[in-house]
Structures are given as structure tokens and as C-alpha cells.
């Protein structure tokens, strides 16, 4: 898939949570095709100590408005600087990078999308693409507390939403793999993104239940094109770069102890 280096204009920079920002970017010409699960490498301007771009999942693509969204967790100086960019300014991005989630083979398939923390970000666009095919995805979203569950209104527009929180302030108390929906519905496929322990737990559940499952890895990345080798993951076919060969992998290709 062709990659582009673009100067995109900031349409909106909002803060849905003190630790996150939601960037909506556009350009005068039509945005290129992007697949759910792919990501962008975003240049950080205005930070003297940030030399490398930051890999950020594509949160949503609105082709009618010609916008691409990025849900950014304010983790270090780079992402905190990005969170301060004002509307009307330009942000330089390289996109789309990596591979995406596997498209549904039939709108009749029951698919469960599991997200934890900022790992919910790529699931919104994936859910939209599934919805466009005439299917209705089920979302299972987990966080520490209710205030950490982001973009719920958008998710509810696309499918059925279930939640878990560690403190029990919304949905069922506990982790996503403890939610009762897993014992009530037999899903055909599961796609997950979030902290590695969460994804391993989801993979264990899927494998035990004989359900096809893929996960979007969040290994640390630098170049985004497979040149620096800092995001390598050991797989059944040897070492692969998450940025180039992923970030989405079938769990059967990963050497996780599941």
C-alpha cells in the first residue's frame, strides 16, 4: 500500500480526558485510503528533546469530512507537545503504515472487538468499516475507571458496547476477559488491542474456545518502516518487525505462552 508524507491541518484538538487528546486532521485534497489497524508516524515539532516521530494508531477516518483522527495518550514529552498543537496549525505525518485488521468474510459473522486503555483507538475505525459492510460489531472495552472509557458515544453508534472497569464504576467490575458476555455469546472472530497482558488473556480465551483471533501489538517503534529493527517480535516464522509486518498478527503466529 502506498505511503504518503503529508502536512495535515489541525481541524480540532480536544481533550476528552486529562491524559489524552483527540486530534482531527485534514488537507485540501482527498485523504489517501487507510485501513483499520494501520498507524501513522507523526513528527513532533516544537520539542527540543524529541528527535523521532511518534507512532499513533489511526483512530477514525471520516471521508465525508475528509478527516483522519488520532487519539493520543500524553505519555512523554513528544506526545505532550503534540497535544498542545493548536487548530489551524499543520502536523507532518507519514501514513498509512503497517497492516490492518482482517476484513469480515461475511456480514453474518459475529465479531468481538476488545480494547483496553488507548488500545480502543483503532477499534473505532474498524467498527465503522464493519458497520459499513452491514454487520454490527460487539465492543468489549476495559479501563481502570469510568472516566478512562473514551469515545463511548461513537462506539454506541456503531454496535453493541459492553464495558469493564477495575473499580466497578461502569459496566462489570474486573477485566475484559472476566465479562459475562463471553459466556453468553459464541463469537466467530475476536480482534483485540491494548496492554500486552490483556491481549494475552484474550488470546488464551480465544484459543481455548477455538475462536479465530488477531491482536494489534504495541511494541515500541522508531522508524515505522522496518529499518531500525527496534520493534521486532518473535513469531513462528522468525523475527518480524511489528511496524512493517504488523501491527496486527494472528495469535497463532505469535510465540506467546497461551
Amino acid at each position: 500500500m502506498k505511503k504518503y508524507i503529508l502536512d495535515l491541518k489541525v481541524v480540532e484538538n480536544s481533550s476528552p480526558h486529562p491524559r489524552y487528546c483527540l486530534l482531527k486532521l485534514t488537507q485540501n485534497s482527498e485523504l489517501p485510503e487507510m485501513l483499520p489497524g494501520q498507524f501513522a508516524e507523526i513528527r513532533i515539532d516544537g520539542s527540543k528533546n524529541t528527535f523521532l516521530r511518534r507512532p499513533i494508531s489511526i483512530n477514525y477516518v471520516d471521508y465525508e469530512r475528509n478527516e483522519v483522527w488520532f487519539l493520543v495518550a500524553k505519555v512523554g514529552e513528544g506526545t505532550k507537545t503534540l497535544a498542545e498543537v493548536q487548530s489551524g496549525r499543520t502536523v507532518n505525518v507519514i501514513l498509512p503504515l503497517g497492516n490492518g485488521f482482517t476484513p469480515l468474510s461475511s456480514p453474518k459473522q459475529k465479531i468481538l472487538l476488545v480494547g483496553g486503555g488507548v488500545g480502543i483507538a483503532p477499534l473505532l475505525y474498524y467498527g465503522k468499516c464493519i458497520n459499513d459492510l452491514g454487520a454490527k460489531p460487539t465492543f468489549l472495552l476495559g479501563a481502570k475507571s469510568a472516566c478512562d472509557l473514551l469515545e463511548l458515544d461513537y462506539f454506541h453508534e456503531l454496535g453493541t458496547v459492553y464495558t469493564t472497569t477495575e473499580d466497578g464504576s461502569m459496566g462489570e467490575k474486573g477485566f475484559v476477559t472476566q465479562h459475562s458476555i463471553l459466556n453468553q455469546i459464541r463469537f466467530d472472530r475476536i480482534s483485540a488491542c491494548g496492554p500486552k497482558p490483556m491481549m494475552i488473556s484474550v488470546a488464551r480465551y480465544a484459543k481455548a474456545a477455538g475462536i479465530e483471533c488477531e491482536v494489534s501489538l504495541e511494541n515500541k517503534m522508531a522508524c515505522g518502516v522496518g529499518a531500525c529493527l527496534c520493534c521486532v517480535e518473535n513469531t513462528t516464522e522468525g523475527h518480524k518487525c511489528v511496524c512493517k509486518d504488523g501491527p496486527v498478527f494472528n495469535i497463532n503466529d505469535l510465540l506467546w505462552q497461551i
Side-chain angles (χ1 to χ4, degrees):
M1 196 174 207
K2 186 175 180 180
K3 302 172 180 60
Y4 300 83
I5 302 177
L6 305 173
D7 284 319
L8 301 182
K9 181 181 178 181
V10 179
V11 176
E12 180 182 330
N13 184 359
S14 59
S15 297
H17 186 284
R19 295 196 303 271
Y20 296 88
C21 79
L22 177 60
L23 282 176
K24 298 182 180 182
L25 309 179
T26 190
Q27 64 177 8
N28 292 331
S29 57
E30 185 178 354
L31 289 169
E33 179 186 5
M34 289 168 263
L35 302 177
Q38 292 185 304
F39 67 98
E41 285 278 357
I42 302 182
R43 192 177 71 199
I44 308 298
D45 296 325
S47 172
K48 296 180 180 179
N49 300 315
T50 307
F51 303 101
L52 299 176
R53 292 174 180 263
R54 291 295 182 263
I56 308 293
S57 296
I58 294 169
N59 177 218
Y60 193 77
V61 183
D62 186 334
Y63 285 107
E64 291 184 2
R65 293 177 176 270
N66 202 42
E67 292 178 358
V68 56
W69 299 3
F70 296 97
L71 183 63
V72 182
K74 305 175 189 177
V75 178
E77 182 177 339
T79 48
K80 289 178 180 178
T81 300
L82 184 61
E84 295 174 356
V85 65
Q86 298 179 354
S87 297
R89 301 293 295 272
T90 58
V91 176
N92 185 269
V93 303
I94 303 175
L95 57 73
L97 299 172
N99 66 355
F101 292 107
T102 303
L104 284 187
S105 59
S106 167
K108 295 182 179 180
Q109 281 189 304
K110 293 181 180 179
I111 184 166
L112 176 67
L113 308 186
V114 185
V118 75
I120 70 167
L123 302 184
L124 185 64
Y125 184 38
Y126 191 23
K128 192 261 186 189
C129 293
I130 292 171
N131 198 268
D132 288 346
L133 291 174
K136 189 175 182 179
T138 299
F139 299 99
L140 178 53
L141 310 176
K144 290 184 177 181
S145 63
C147 65
D148 299 313
L149 289 166
L150 306 177
E151 302 189 312
L152 288 182
D153 289 345
Y154 295 122
F155 282 108
H156 278 293
E157 291 177 0
L158 299 172
T160 304
V161 180
Y162 298 92
T163 61
T164 65
T165 49
E166 293 179 29
D167 63 3
S169 55
M170 180 178 286
E172 295 187 10
K173 184 175 182 178
F175 303 112
V176 289
T177 47
Q178 299 170 328
H179 198 284
S180 59
I181 193 63
L182 299 177
N183 298 319
Q184 297 172 14
I185 298 178
R186 168 72 184 190
F187 293 98
D188 300 308
R189 281 179 46 192
I190 299 175
S191 296
C193 184
K196 188 173 182 179
M198 184 211 81
M199 291 192 291
I200 291 176
S201 294
V202 172
R204 284 175 178 160
Y205 165 80
K207 189 170 184 179
I211 301 173
E212 182 182 351
C213 180
E214 58 187 5
V215 294
S216 180
L217 303 188
E218 296 184 323
N219 296 31
K220 290 185 177 180
M221 302 178 191
C223 69
V225 294
C228 68
L229 305 179
C230 77
C231 64
V232 168
E233 181 77 22
N234 197 12
T235 74
T236 56
E237 297 181 354
H239 292 89
K240 290 192 174 182
C241 291
V242 170
C243 67
K244 180 173 66 69
D245 302 308
V248 179
F249 290 89
N250 188 293
I251 61 170
N252 294 324
D253 297 331
L254 299 173
L255 298 181
W256 289 353
Q257 298 299 314
I258 59 174

